[in-house]
Amino acid sequence: MALVLLENTVLVFQEVKEDVFNGVRERINGKLGRIRTRGADYLFFALLDAIVDNYFLIIETMGSKIEDLEDNLFSGLTQGEISQEIQNLKREILRIRRSIYPLREVINRIEKSDSELIENKTKRFFRDIYDHVIQISETIDIYRDMIWSLMDMYMTNISNKMNEVMKVLTIIATIFIPLTFI
């Protein structure tokens, strides 16, 4: 998705038909709030805010997946399934991280810029978005660490099971090797 702010216009380019702008559309159509009385810079803010708010839903879902995976890890779910789920979560986290970090830089630049396209009274709203993006970014880093911890726990579980098997094999070998020798 790309947003372009011009003097009295905001252009939105999307790769997919679905978007997160229903709340903004409702505010425009329902003549609710400041969105109808402010300029294009405020609309630009509202669109960015809708995108960032959607990330909160995504990371909330991600947190639930991580908690479920942790529960499954200790409940004895098939090892192959856990390994695959951990890998999928790692990929998802990395994909989200790759999209949120550039957004953080962009919003920081917007907030600190002296552009005539953004009024000073609208800049304070961009600070709020920036704080949200920082919060999302920190949460993503925490989830990434949790996923690595899950992978470590998974490997520890596999190692413990292999140790149990080795104990049994050692006992069997201790009993049968002398008998075979005799």
Side-chain angles (χ1 to χ4, degrees):
M1 180 170 296
L3 298 172
V4 179
L5 175 62
L6 302 173
E7 191 170 332
N8 290 318
T9 309
V10 177
L11 299 176
V12 179
F13 298 96
Q14 295 179 205
E15 292 180 12
V16 293
K17 187 175 182 176
E18 297 82 28
D19 60 29
V20 295
F21 302 130
N22 288 335
V24 175
R25 284 187 196 100
E26 289 172 6
R27 287 171 35 202
I28 290 171
N29 291 334
K31 300 179 184 176
L32 302 173
R34 301 175 216 168
I35 203 159
R36 299 274 296 194
T37 59
R38 293 278 183 93
D41 60 336
Y42 190 81
L43 177 61
F44 185 72
F45 153 75
L47 295 172
L48 275 176
D49 190 44
I51 292 169
V52 170
D53 286 347
N54 189 55
Y55 276 111
F56 278 112
L57 296 174
I58 291 170
I59 64 170
E60 184 178 317
T61 303
M62 182 87 41
S64 296
K65 285 182 182 179
I66 291 171
E67 289 174 10
D68 291 344
L69 191 57
E70 190 173 27
D71 292 341
N72 289 340
L73 186 62
F74 290 110
S75 70
L77 188 69
T78 307
Q79 299 301 332
E81 293 174 8
I82 293 247
S83 171
Q84 187 64 37
E85 286 184 44
I86 291 172
Q87 292 301 325
N88 290 340
L89 275 175
K90 278 177 31 178
R91 273 190 235 108
E92 256 184 88
I93 282 285
L94 288 175
R95 187 174 49 86
I96 292 169
R97 191 169 187 247
R98 272 188 248 125
S99 63
I100 202 71
Y101 272 87
L103 183 61
R104 183 171 80 174
E105 272 306 307
V106 167
I107 293 174
N108 189 28
R109 284 186 193 166
I110 289 171
E111 180 194 7
K112 294 183 181 190
S113 75
D114 291 330
S115 173
E116 295 176 7
L117 295 174
I118 300 174
E119 296 178 15
N120 285 333
K121 60 184 177 181
T122 308
K123 280 191 181 182
R124 66 178 183 194
F125 297 115
F126 284 100
R127 180 68 187 164
D128 184 48
I129 292 178
Y130 183 72
D131 291 341
H132 287 165
V133 169
I134 293 295
Q135 183 181 359
I136 291 168
S137 147
E138 289 172 355
T139 304
I140 287 172
D141 288 340
I142 289 168
Y143 285 169
R144 192 181 71 159
D145 291 342
M146 288 174 70
I147 289 172
W148 280 107
S149 296
L150 283 176
M151 186 58 121
D152 288 342
M153 284 192 299
Y154 170 72
M155 295 305 267
T156 301
N157 280 350
I158 288 178
S159 179
N160 288 341
K161 287 181 182 181
M162 191 176 342
N163 285 342
E164 289 176 22
V165 169
M166 291 304 290
K167 282 181 193 177
V168 170
L169 291 176
T170 302
I171 291 170
I172 292 173
T174 305
I175 293 171
F176 287 109
I177 287 178
L179 293 175
T180 307
F181 182 70
I182 292 175

